Amino acid sequence: MKQKFYSSKNTVVLIAICLATLMFSLEISSVPVILPTLEKLLNANLRDMQWIMNIYTIGCTTVLMAAGTLADRYGRKRILIITLILFGISSLVCGLAENITILIISRFFQGISGGAMLICQVATLSHQFQEGKERSSAFSIWGIILGIGLGFGPIIGAAVIAILSWKWVFLIHVPIAAIAVLLVYGYVDESKDSDAKKLDIWGMTTLSIAVFGLSYFITQGPDLGFASPIALSIIGATIISFILFLRVEKTNPYPMFDFSVFKIRNFSGAILGSIGMNFSFWPFIIYLPIYYQSCLGYDVVTVGISLLAYTLPTLIIPPFAEYLSVRYRSGIIIPIGLFVIGLGFILMRYGSIAEHASWLTMLPGSLLAGIGLGLTNTPVTNTTTGSVSSNRSGMASGIDMSARLITLSINIALMGFILVEGIFSYLNNAFPGSVEKTTLRLISEKIAAGNFSSLTNDFSKLNTLNSSESVLQAALAHGFEVILLYGGIGVWILAVMSFILFNPRKAESNL
């Protein structure tokens, strides 16, 4: 009878943790679908849309390593409840936001609470489910829910905005968070670690400033002027902050990052896999809805359905990837997964420039990119934690997640910059000398955001009003062609680097 009670109790705990997981994953994959709508309704530009996504990942990065320490010191249940409440409140503010500034600020706090919530979920599961079979089953279900949120996020976001409004993509988390809080409060056992380390405040602060500074420099650089005193001051402060971070981590007796783990080849090779997944695949999901809506003219529901080809393989492939890793080693499967992501991007590039481009021409590349992500994700997670001793697995997992989020944040900014530059290059070649560079760049930024309706006056200056729509679409398609080349070639380079780290002798023999 006692065993049955605890089994039922843990079932409720698992439901609560899965609700929190679902909220976190949906905020990554469902929000990109509503960005073109936000651009129209809230008068947002491309940089605003970048910051809506970017600030969430920066917020997650800010607290990622600190959350585990806080949970160990003050109680995992207590911190989980606090993060759930903060996530619900910040989601409420996001949904009620009437302007972009408030939305971006509230997204930052949503990211902070979401990142801390993610770490607390893992710590709570680890404590609550200690028996081997029960523990394995709990983490498997947790991983499936995380995958469902990421995989079905686009269609869920599209359905919500079609039936209700964009606000409910955020507001839906309020009742879910409330239910999760009640379940956690009533059923989760409190746990602490009497040997919890001190909080690495300086490491957390310097790393956050460095990541934010670099993202800000890339995103706002075109407006400020990359060589302007303000921009140079920002990049200078970013470099100084990163140097201070390295020094703090070397001298701190309780560092967030123990850089000695990078001497382990398997760990370093897996971290390159973490970087590779977030170099192109996840940043591109921010921009793909713009391509489908503005280039192909799809409505929001069709966009959500089209994105399923990109995200669903990430849910289906991981069990197969785990089997392959056992049979052929992660050192082979991770570089192969990265290579497949790159191949998917190259195929999407050809699909985007096809004579009659559509979701069908993009389908093979989208599927391959998703398959590559699915092949890479599980082996990376297993290898980063499995290549170090058990007492360092939490720190290794933290470095893995930090590498993913930092790469994602930087490449959201970089892809936006590359998109605008690709569009600018096309327009500059199409209308040489007919308009000032500054005006042409402003036009490029509006095109990159899919904001065609506001370009009538701008294109009248170019005397191309009659053919403006085709010019806009051609320019935007060219920008996406450049992004896809960047994403494909970049992840291929990381695949080669990962393979060399995992297999130094094989790499040398192949040279």
Side-chain angles (χ1 to χ4, degrees), residues 423-438:
I423 295 169
F424 176 79
S425 174
Y426 181 91
L427 294 178
N428 196 39
N429 290 331
F431 312 108
S434 61
V435 67
E436 292 181 0
K437 301 284 186 182
T438 305

PDB file of all heavy atoms in Angstrom, residues 423-438:
ATOM      1  N   ILE A 423      20.207  41.086 -48.530  1.00  0.00           N
ATOM      2  CA  ILE A 423      19.174  41.880 -49.199  1.00  0.00           C
ATOM      3  C   ILE A 423      19.756  43.183 -49.724  1.00  0.00           C
ATOM      4  O   ILE A 423      19.477  43.604 -50.862  1.00  0.00           O
ATOM      5  CB  ILE A 423      18.010  42.161 -48.224  1.00  0.00           C
ATOM      6  CG1 ILE A 423      17.310  40.859 -47.847  1.00  0.00           C
ATOM      7  CG2 ILE A 423      17.008  43.143 -48.838  1.00  0.00           C
ATOM      8  CD1 ILE A 423      16.331  41.000 -46.698  1.00  0.00           C
ATOM      9  N   PHE A 424      20.574  43.833 -48.899  1.00  0.00           N
ATOM     10  CA  PHE A 424      21.223  45.093 -49.298  1.00  0.00           C
ATOM     11  C   PHE A 424      22.087  44.891 -50.537  1.00  0.00           C
ATOM     12  O   PHE A 424      22.068  45.710 -51.462  1.00  0.00           O
ATOM     13  CB  PHE A 424      22.062  45.627 -48.142  1.00  0.00           C
ATOM     14  CG  PHE A 424      22.853  46.860 -48.479  1.00  0.00           C
ATOM     15  CD1 PHE A 424      22.252  48.102 -48.506  1.00  0.00           C
ATOM     16  CD2 PHE A 424      24.203  46.765 -48.788  1.00  0.00           C
ATOM     17  CE1 PHE A 424      22.967  49.243 -48.829  1.00  0.00           C
ATOM     18  CE2 PHE A 424      24.939  47.891 -49.112  1.00  0.00           C
ATOM     19  CZ  PHE A 424      24.324  49.142 -49.133  1.00  0.00           C
ATOM     20  N   SER A 425      22.841  43.793 -50.569  1.00  0.00           N
ATOM     21  CA  SER A 425      23.696  43.492 -51.719  1.00  0.00           C
ATOM     22  C   SER A 425      22.869  43.329 -52.990  1.00  0.00           C
ATOM     23  O   SER A 425      23.233  43.834 -54.055  1.00  0.00           O
ATOM     24  CB  SER A 425      24.499  42.221 -51.440  1.00  0.00           C
ATOM     25  OG  SER A 425      25.234  41.824 -52.584  1.00  0.00           O
ATOM     26  N   TYR A 426      21.732  42.646 -52.877  1.00  0.00           N
ATOM     27  CA  TYR A 426      20.857  42.440 -54.044  1.00  0.00           C
ATOM     28  C   TYR A 426      20.317  43.774 -54.551  1.00  0.00           C
ATOM     29  O   TYR A 426      20.354  44.062 -55.762  1.00  0.00           O
ATOM     30  CB  TYR A 426      19.711  41.511 -53.657  1.00  0.00           C
ATOM     31  CG  TYR A 426      18.764  41.220 -54.800  1.00  0.00           C
ATOM     32  CD1 TYR A 426      18.974  40.120 -55.626  1.00  0.00           C
ATOM     33  CD2 TYR A 426      17.669  42.048 -55.062  1.00  0.00           C
ATOM     34  CE1 TYR A 426      18.111  39.852 -56.683  1.00  0.00           C
ATOM     35  CE2 TYR A 426      16.803  41.794 -56.106  1.00  0.00           C
ATOM     36  CZ  TYR A 426      17.030  40.693 -56.919  1.00  0.00           C
ATOM     37  OH  TYR A 426      16.188  40.434 -57.969  1.00  0.00           O
ATOM     38  N   LEU A 427      19.795  44.596 -53.633  1.00  0.00           N
ATOM     39  CA  LEU A 427      19.222  45.884 -54.037  1.00  0.00           C
ATOM     40  C   LEU A 427      20.289  46.828 -54.588  1.00  0.00           C
ATOM     41  O   LEU A 427      20.035  47.583 -55.538  1.00  0.00           O
ATOM     42  CB  LEU A 427      18.514  46.538 -52.850  1.00  0.00           C
ATOM     43  CG  LEU A 427      17.276  45.823 -52.302  1.00  0.00           C
ATOM     44  CD1 LEU A 427      16.726  46.583 -51.097  1.00  0.00           C
ATOM     45  CD2 LEU A 427      16.199  45.690 -53.376  1.00  0.00           C
ATOM     46  N   ASN A 428      21.458  46.776 -54.009  1.00  0.00           N
ATOM     47  CA  ASN A 428      22.549  47.636 -54.459  1.00  0.00           C
ATOM     48  C   ASN A 428      22.963  47.293 -55.888  1.00  0.00           C
ATOM     49  O   ASN A 428      23.287  48.178 -56.691  1.00  0.00           O
ATOM     50  CB  ASN A 428      23.746  47.493 -53.518  1.00  0.00           C
ATOM     51  CG  ASN A 428      24.754  48.613 -53.688  1.00  0.00           C
ATOM     52  OD1 ASN A 428      24.400  49.763 -53.890  1.00  0.00           O
ATOM     53  ND2 ASN A 428      26.031  48.257 -53.621  1.00  0.00           N
ATOM     54  N   ASN A 429      22.939  46.010 -56.217  1.00  0.00           N
ATOM     55  CA  ASN A 429      23.267  45.577 -57.580  1.00  0.00           C
ATOM     56  C   ASN A 429      22.110  45.850 -58.546  1.00  0.00           C
ATOM     57  O   ASN A 429      22.329  46.132 -59.727  1.00  0.00           O
ATOM     58  CB  ASN A 429      23.604  44.086 -57.597  1.00  0.00           C
ATOM     59  CG  ASN A 429      24.918  43.785 -56.908  1.00  0.00           C
ATOM     60  OD1 ASN A 429      25.823  44.618 -56.886  1.00  0.00           O
ATOM     61  ND2 ASN A 429      25.039  42.602 -56.331  1.00  0.00           N
ATOM     62  N   ALA A 430      20.877  45.746 -58.028  1.00  0.00           N
ATOM     63  CA  ALA A 430      19.709  45.946 -58.892  1.00  0.00           C
ATOM     64  C   ALA A 430      19.495  47.424 -59.219  1.00  0.00           C
ATOM     65  O   ALA A 430      19.038  47.767 -60.317  1.00  0.00           O
ATOM     66  CB  ALA A 430      18.460  45.376 -58.217  1.00  0.00           C
ATOM     67  N   PHE A 431      19.828  48.314 -58.264  1.00  0.00           N
ATOM     68  CA  PHE A 431      19.609  49.747 -58.471  1.00  0.00           C
ATOM     69  C   PHE A 431      20.885  50.525 -58.155  1.00  0.00           C
ATOM     70  O   PHE A 431      20.932  51.307 -57.191  1.00  0.00           O
ATOM     71  CB  PHE A 431      18.459  50.249 -57.584  1.00  0.00           C
ATOM     72  CG  PHE A 431      17.235  49.399 -57.646  1.00  0.00           C
ATOM     73  CD1 PHE A 431      16.876  48.594 -56.571  1.00  0.00           C
ATOM     74  CD2 PHE A 431      16.435  49.392 -58.774  1.00  0.00           C
ATOM     75  CE1 PHE A 431      15.753  47.800 -56.623  1.00  0.00           C
ATOM     76  CE2 PHE A 431      15.309  48.601 -58.837  1.00  0.00           C
ATOM     77  CZ  PHE A 431      14.961  47.793 -57.763  1.00  0.00           C
ATOM     78  N   PRO A 432      21.942  50.322 -58.922  1.00  0.00           N
ATOM     79  CA  PRO A 432      23.223  50.974 -58.614  1.00  0.00           C
ATOM     80  C   PRO A 432      23.127  52.491 -58.735  1.00  0.00           C
ATOM     81  O   PRO A 432      22.715  53.024 -59.760  1.00  0.00           O
ATOM     82  CB  PRO A 432      24.177  50.391 -59.661  1.00  0.00           C
ATOM     83  CG  PRO A 432      23.290  49.964 -60.788  1.00  0.00           C
ATOM     84  CD  PRO A 432      22.013  49.524 -60.160  1.00  0.00           C
ATOM     85  N   GLY A 433      23.476  53.186 -57.629  1.00  0.00           N
ATOM     86  CA  GLY A 433      23.549  54.637 -57.653  1.00  0.00           C
ATOM     87  C   GLY A 433      22.230  55.363 -57.690  1.00  0.00           C
ATOM     88  O   GLY A 433      22.198  56.590 -57.768  1.00  0.00           O
ATOM     89  N   SER A 434      21.099  54.650 -57.638  1.00  0.00           N
ATOM     90  CA  SER A 434      19.810  55.328 -57.757  1.00  0.00           C
ATOM     91  C   SER A 434      19.251  55.812 -56.429  1.00  0.00           C
ATOM     92  O   SER A 434      18.266  56.534 -56.393  1.00  0.00           O
ATOM     93  CB  SER A 434      18.781  54.377 -58.406  1.00  0.00           C
ATOM     94  OG  SER A 434      18.609  53.225 -57.612  1.00  0.00           O
ATOM     95  N   VAL A 435      19.869  55.419 -55.324  1.00  0.00           N
ATOM     96  CA  VAL A 435      19.394  55.829 -54.012  1.00  0.00           C
ATOM     97  C   VAL A 435      20.561  55.798 -53.036  1.00  0.00           C
ATOM     98  O   VAL A 435      21.526  55.057 -53.234  1.00  0.00           O
ATOM     99  CB  VAL A 435      18.260  54.886 -53.532  1.00  0.00           C
ATOM    100  CG1 VAL A 435      18.775  53.484 -53.262  1.00  0.00           C
ATOM    101  CG2 VAL A 435      17.540  55.448 -52.311  1.00  0.00           C
ATOM    102  N   GLU A 436      20.456  56.609 -52.005  1.00  0.00           N
ATOM    103  CA  GLU A 436      21.527  56.651 -51.016  1.00  0.00           C
ATOM    104  C   GLU A 436      21.658  55.318 -50.288  1.00  0.00           C
ATOM    105  O   GLU A 436      20.671  54.611 -50.064  1.00  0.00           O
ATOM    106  CB  GLU A 436      21.245  57.758 -49.981  1.00  0.00           C
ATOM    107  CG  GLU A 436      21.339  59.164 -50.547  1.00  0.00           C
ATOM    108  CD  GLU A 436      21.085  60.210 -49.468  1.00  0.00           C
ATOM    109  OE1 GLU A 436      20.842  59.801 -48.307  1.00  0.00           O
ATOM    110  OE2 GLU A 436      21.132  61.404 -49.781  1.00  0.00           O
ATOM    111  N   LYS A 437      22.878  55.010 -49.873  1.00  0.00           N
ATOM    112  CA  LYS A 437      23.160  53.752 -49.188  1.00  0.00           C
ATOM    113  C   LYS A 437      22.354  53.646 -47.892  1.00  0.00           C
ATOM    114  O   LYS A 437      21.857  52.573 -47.548  1.00  0.00           O
ATOM    115  CB  LYS A 437      24.650  53.640 -48.862  1.00  0.00           C
ATOM    116  CG  LYS A 437      25.570  53.695 -50.072  1.00  0.00           C
ATOM    117  CD  LYS A 437      25.563  52.398 -50.838  1.00  0.00           C
ATOM    118  CE  LYS A 437      26.610  52.425 -51.960  1.00  0.00           C
ATOM    119  NZ  LYS A 437      26.607  51.188 -52.759  1.00  0.00           N
ATOM    120  N   THR A 438      22.239  54.749 -47.167  1.00  0.00           N
ATOM    121  CA  THR A 438      21.519  54.737 -45.897  1.00  0.00           C
ATOM    122  C   THR A 438      20.060  54.366 -46.099  1.00  0.00           C
ATOM    123  O   THR A 438      19.501  53.527 -45.371  1.00  0.00           O
ATOM    124  CB  THR A 438      21.606  56.116 -45.205  1.00  0.00           C
ATOM    125  OG1 THR A 438      22.972  56.486 -45.068  1.00  0.00           O
ATOM    126  CG2 THR A 438      20.936  56.069 -43.845  1.00  0.00           C
TER     127      THR A 438
END
